[in-house]
């Protein structure tokens, strides 16, 4: 119904000052509400024209504006204000915790990005291409879409900081960073972890956002927290023992 209404309105305003711009700036939920409210106000205004012409004209004008807004997905007022409700919210996760392991050792484990899927279950795999670039694959709830991307190390301070982000062309833009500090107590390492996922715009983006929000966000958060438990396990001890021998 909304698609049919969109086609009719776009055809009627084509070539006029009301023709919508190239970019939609009203999200799908607002469009449906605007179309419904506009239809009601337009009908109400028309029925008021003979009994109360001024009120009828006001309601008719408002109804037409809301109907146009809902059908085209374009709001002239939003455009003037620079507002765009189609922007999808990013998933931003930050966690700070302390692990009972030396800073240099913890840094070395994280710097080998292929280790991340060992405790981050939302990652299917990370393959290092070279010292700067790596290829990531994510496990998405429902497995309806495949999410993978190439990332690059954007900033690095040995034993103190690692920052990375996806390169241009990724189907889901994302970035992350980890800061490593000696714990105030003098025992262990304090980690400050931040991971951000930015779903793409458009219909596909909204579909991916629905998959990523909620369950996926909780999964990523739990994965970060899980590192503390992983460090205390046998697999990590085996890894660090092997690293010490190879060093």
């Amino acid at each position: 119904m909304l698609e049919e209404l969109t086609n009719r309105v776009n055809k009627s305003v084509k070539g006029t000052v009301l023709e919508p711009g190239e970019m939609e700036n009203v999200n799908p939920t607002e469009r449906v509400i605007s179309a419904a409210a506009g239809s009601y106000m337009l009908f109400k205004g028309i029925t008021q024209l003979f009994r109360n012409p001024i009120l009828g004209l006001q309601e008719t004008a408002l109804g037409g504006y809301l109907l146009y807004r809902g059908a085209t997905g374009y709001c002239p007022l939003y455009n003037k204000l620079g507002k765009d409700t189609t922007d999808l919210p990013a998933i931003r996760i930050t966690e700070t915790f302390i692990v009972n392991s030396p800073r240099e050792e913890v840094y070395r484990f994280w710097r080998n990005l292929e280790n991340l899927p060992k405790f981050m279950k939302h990652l299917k795999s990370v393959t290092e291409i070279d010292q700067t670039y790596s290829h990531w694959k994510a496990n998405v709830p429902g497995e309806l879409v495949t999410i993978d991307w190439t990332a690059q190390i954007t900033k690095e301070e040995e034993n103190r900081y690692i920052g990375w982000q996806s390169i241009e062309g990724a189907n889901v833009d994302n970035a992350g960073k980890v800061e490593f500090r000696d714990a105030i107590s003098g025992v262990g390492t304090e980690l400050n972890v931040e991971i951000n996922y930015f779903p793409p715009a458009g219909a596909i983006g909204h579909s991916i956002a629905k998959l990523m929000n909620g369950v996926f966000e909780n999964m990523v958060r739990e994965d970060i927290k899980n590192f503390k438990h992983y460090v205390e396990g046998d697999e990590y001890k085996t890894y660090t023992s092997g690293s010490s021998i190879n060093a």
Side-chain angles (χ1 to χ4, degrees), residues 41-152:
M41 291 299 296
L42 186 61
F43 174 78
K44 185 180 177 185
I46 292 173
T47 58
Q48 287 272 18
L49 283 175
F50 294 104
R51 287 178 294 177
N52 192 332
I54 295 177
L55 181 60
L57 286 172
Q58 291 176 342
E59 290 181 340
T60 301
L62 178 59
Y65 174 79
L66 290 174
L67 196 58
Y68 166 82
R69 187 177 186 269
T72 64
Y74 176 76
C75 177
L77 180 59
Y78 275 8
N79 186 52
K80 288 184 178 181
L81 296 174
K83 185 176 180 180
D84 187 346
T85 61
T86 62
D87 288 341
L88 296 168
I91 294 176
R92 181 175 182 269
I93 300 168
T94 60
E95 292 290 342
T96 299
F97 52 92
I98 295 174
V99 297
N100 187 25
S101 192
R103 176 164 51 88
E104 293 79 4
E105 186 178 278
V106 176
Y107 171 86
R108 189 163 58 246
F109 180 86
W110 274 80
R111 183 57 183 85
N112 182 355
L113 299 176
E114 295 186 354
N115 285 327
L116 299 186
K118 292 180 179 179
F119 65 93
M120 288 189 171
K121 303 305 179 186
H122 82 282
L123 294 177
K124 184 178 295 184
S125 66
V126 178
T127 304
E128 291 191 327
I129 301 171
D130 53 33
Q131 286 297 304
T132 302
Y133 293 94
S134 53
H135 190 75
W136 303 50
K137 292 183 179 180
N139 291 310
V140 179
E143 296 293 334
L144 297 179
V145 294
T146 299
I147 296 181
D148 67 308
W149 62 90
T150 298
Q152 67 177 123

Side-chain angles (χ1 to χ4, degrees), residues 1-6 39:
M1 180 179 179
L2 183 58
E3 184 179 355
E4 182 181 351
L5 184 59
T6 299
S39 299

